[in-house]
């Protein structure tokens, strides 16, 4: 067994639903993220990449037919570079990195490119096939953008509530007040804006040309500088008339792609750069589908146990902010300092293109650890239908305080 390391990461800006990236195909977004990551390792011959593991949640439109392989071809990599696409919904690209790290550690591959993509704007409507020929009635088209669709009638009704209703239930269960959620959301926007203004994301984000005129999107589109809890308090609840979840304290529908290059320690000479972080621990967990937002608690605990460390050792946490309420419930359960969580903003501000978010978390976490010189960090993400994933990274760039 050998160790696996993160060498480089890049992503596109994340665009709003029907926003600047609406006219860009998901396979093209994925190819851009791949090229952006490999541009950081110019000494690496792409033919040396043993496999590509790519994440994607919908896979019902232009991202069908193994979008990972399509992205490899569109990015101009040799046709000898293989690729697969994995689907663990919101955790798909974190799952891709986990799969790749295991392949490296067991010797099945030495260098693996991972990542993920989602265009929620371009997710198509689908028609179920009819059960008999030539039906006389209408057939309803179903949106594949987000959430349950074409639900099996045998599923218990309490499992198949909307994502929003599931998180309203979490708010009830853990008594997470609307005021805390709005304050958390405002923090996300302001920290994201601060990080962009300080240049933190300049190295991580690859601009995207969005039209024939050369217009580019070079910054995450959903950030709202100057957000306050007071402003967010004016928004109406979305899922219950008397509820606590609004468009302001939940992640938006988004478009984007991310990529992460992993390799063994011995691969450093061929990659042409030293690694940034070691994959030190992994965790997966599952519980009742409607409680998916709370699943990162156990996933992260398992990842820490795998790494042989405790929460008191952790200096940085990247937790995907699907909803403010589930993020707060997880942070409360971990009993960590909230200031170390999403210190550069989170998905409420940056966006949550399902298949791409895990790669964003890993890239941001590694960059935070390198910037601070601290040693241990955790990336965690909740996943619809009751699952979660987490990864522990160890900074190997220097001081590791």
């Amino acid at each position: 067994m050998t160790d696996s390391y993160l060498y480089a990461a890049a992503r596109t800006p994340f665009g709003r639903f029907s926003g600047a990236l609406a006219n860009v195909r998901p396979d093209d977004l994925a190819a851009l993220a791949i090229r952006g990551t490999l541009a950081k390792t110019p000494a690496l011959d792409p033919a040396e990449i043993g496999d590509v593991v790519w994440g994607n949640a919908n896979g019902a439109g232009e991202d069908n037919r193994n979008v990972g392989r399509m992205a490899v071809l569109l990015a101009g990599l040799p046709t000898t570079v293989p690729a697969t696409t994995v689907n663990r919904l919101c955790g798909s690209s974190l799952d891709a990195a986990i799969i790749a790290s295991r392949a490296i550690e067991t010797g099945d591959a030495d260098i693996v490119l991972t990542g993920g993509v989602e265009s929620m704007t371009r997710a198509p409507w689908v028609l179920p096939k009819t059960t008999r020929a030539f039906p006389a009635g209408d057939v309803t088209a179903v949106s594949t953008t987000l959430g349950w669709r074409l639900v099996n009638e045998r599923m218990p009704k309490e499992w198949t509530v909307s994502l929003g209703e599931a998180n309203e239930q979490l708010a009830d269960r853990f008594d997470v007040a609307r005021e805390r959620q709005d304050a958390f959301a405002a923090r996300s926007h302001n920290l994201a804006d601060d990080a962009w203004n300080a240049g933190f994301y300049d190295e991580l984000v690859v601009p995207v040309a969005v039209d024939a005129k050369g217009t580019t999107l070079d910054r995450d589109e959903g950030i709202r500088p100057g957000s306050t809890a007071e402003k967010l308090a004016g928004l109406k609840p979305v899922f219950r008339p008397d509820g606590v979840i609004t468009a302001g304290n939940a992640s938006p529908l988004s478009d984007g792609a991310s990529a992460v290059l992993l390799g063994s320690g011995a691969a450093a000479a061929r990659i042409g750069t030293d690694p940034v972080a070691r994959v030190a621990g992994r965790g997966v967990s599952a519980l009742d589908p409607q409680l998916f937002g709370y699943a990162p608690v156990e996933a992260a605990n398992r990842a820490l146990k795998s790494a042989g460390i405790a929460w008191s050792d952790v200096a940085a946490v990247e937790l995907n902010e699907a909803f403010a309420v589930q993020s707060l419930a997880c942070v409360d359960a971990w009993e960590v300092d909230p200031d170390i969580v999403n210190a550069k903003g989170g998905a409420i501000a940056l966006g949550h293109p399902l298949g791409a978010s895990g790669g964003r978390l890993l890239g941001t976490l590694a960059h935070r650890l390198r910037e601070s010189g601290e040693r241990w960090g955790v990336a965690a993400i909740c996943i619809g239908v009751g699952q979660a994933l987490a990864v522990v990274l160890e900074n190997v760039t220097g001081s590791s305080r």
Side-chain angles (χ1 to χ4, degrees):
M1 296 287 287
T2 187
D3 286 325
S4 57
Y5 295 89
L6 186 154
Y7 279 86
R11 66 176 177 89
T12 69
F14 288 174
R16 292 195 306 264
F17 185 80
S18 298
L21 299 183
N23 292 325
V24 185
R25 290 174 56 112
D27 45 5
D28 286 327
L29 287 173
L32 284 166
I34 289 173
R35 289 197 293 267
T37 299
L38 295 183
K40 297 184 176 186
T41 57
L44 173 63
D45 178 357
E48 294 279 345
I49 297 172
D51 203 358
V52 174
V53 187
W54 205 255
N56 179 243
N58 279 329
E62 296 156 334
D63 46 5
N64 77 94
R65 302 293 292 171
N66 190 359
V67 68
R69 174 64 172 171
M70 302 305 171
V72 164
L73 298 175
L74 289 166
L77 273 63
T79 58
T80 53
V81 176
T84 188
T85 299
V86 299
N87 183 351
R88 205 191 286 251
L89 300 180
C90 303
S92 295
S93 54
L94 195 58
D95 205 14
I98 287 173
I99 292 167
S101 67
R102 291 185 182 127
I104 291 163
E105 290 167 18
T106 58
D108 285 345
D110 212 29
I111 301 171
V112 183
L113 181 66
T114 77
V117 66
E118 211 75 55
S119 176
M120 300 178 81
T121 298
R122 298 175 74 93
W125 293 277
V126 298
L127 289 173
K129 287 189 174 180
T130 60
T131 57
R132 59 185 178 83
F134 312 115
D138 296 333
V139 178
T140 301
V142 178
S143 173
T144 64
T145 300
L146 180 69
W148 293 86
R149 76 288 303 254
L150 304 177
V151 180
N152 191 313
E153 292 182 358
R154 295 176 56 240
M155 284 282 186
K157 298 300 182 185
E158 63 270 23
W159 289 358
T160 62
V161 297
S162 71
L163 303 182
E165 171 57 26
N167 277 271
E168 289 283 3
Q169 293 178 21
L170 278 184
D172 292 342
R173 178 183 289 244
F174 296 105
D175 193 24
V176 182
R178 165 77 184 270
E179 292 75 18
R180 283 190 72 198
Q181 296 177 51
D182 288 344
F184 183 86
R187 171 185 181 270
S188 184
H189 283 284
N190 291 316
L191 288 177
D193 185 53
D194 290 346
W196 268 107
N197 292 338
F200 175 84
Y201 285 113
D202 292 350
E203 184 183 339
L204 286 171
V205 176
V206 181
V208 178
V210 299
D211 60 33
K213 299 177 182 178
T215 306
T216 62
L217 180 68
D218 55 12
R219 179 169 169 148
D220 299 307
E221 198 176 16
I223 301 170
R224 288 177 167 74
S227 291
T228 66
E230 291 73 24
K231 291 178 182 177
L232 293 175
L235 298 176
K236 294 181 178 180
V238 176
F239 301 100
R240 293 181 184 175
D242 59 346
V244 294
I245 297 174
T246 71
N249 58 33
S251 62
L253 304 178
S254 309
D255 308 329
S258 65
V260 178
L261 182 68
L262 300 176
S264 67
R270 281 177 289 152
I271 293 173
T273 186
D274 292 330
V276 178
R278 179 175 71 93
V279 178
R282 299 171 289 251
V284 59
S285 67
L287 34 64
D288 289 352
Q290 72 273 25
L291 299 177
F292 74 93
Y294 197 66
V297 172
E298 181 60 20
N301 289 340
R302 292 178 183 180
L304 290 173
K305 184 177 181 180
S306 172
I309 63 171
W311 276 113
S312 58
D313 299 307
V314 174
V317 177
E318 285 294 317
L319 170 63
N320 194 57
E321 299 168 354
F323 294 82
V325 59
Q326 59 84 206
S327 300
L328 288 165
C330 292
V331 173
D332 290 348
W334 292 326
E335 298 183 346
V336 296
D337 179 356
D339 287 343
I340 72 170
V341 180
N342 300 349
K344 307 299 182 180
I348 288 173
L350 302 172
H352 177 24
L354 309 178
S357 288
R360 177 190 71 78
L361 295 174
L362 274 185
T364 302
L365 181 63
H367 199 45
R368 281 181 62 189
L369 292 173
R370 184 174 66 177
E371 179 186 67
S372 69
E374 292 166 310
R375 184 175 182 182
W376 299 105
V378 175
I381 192 165
C382 68
I383 301 167
V385 201
Q387 298 190 84
L389 292 171
V391 169
V392 173
L393 292 184
E394 179 187 18
N395 177 19
V396 295
T397 61
S399 76
S400 293
R401 295 195 299 271

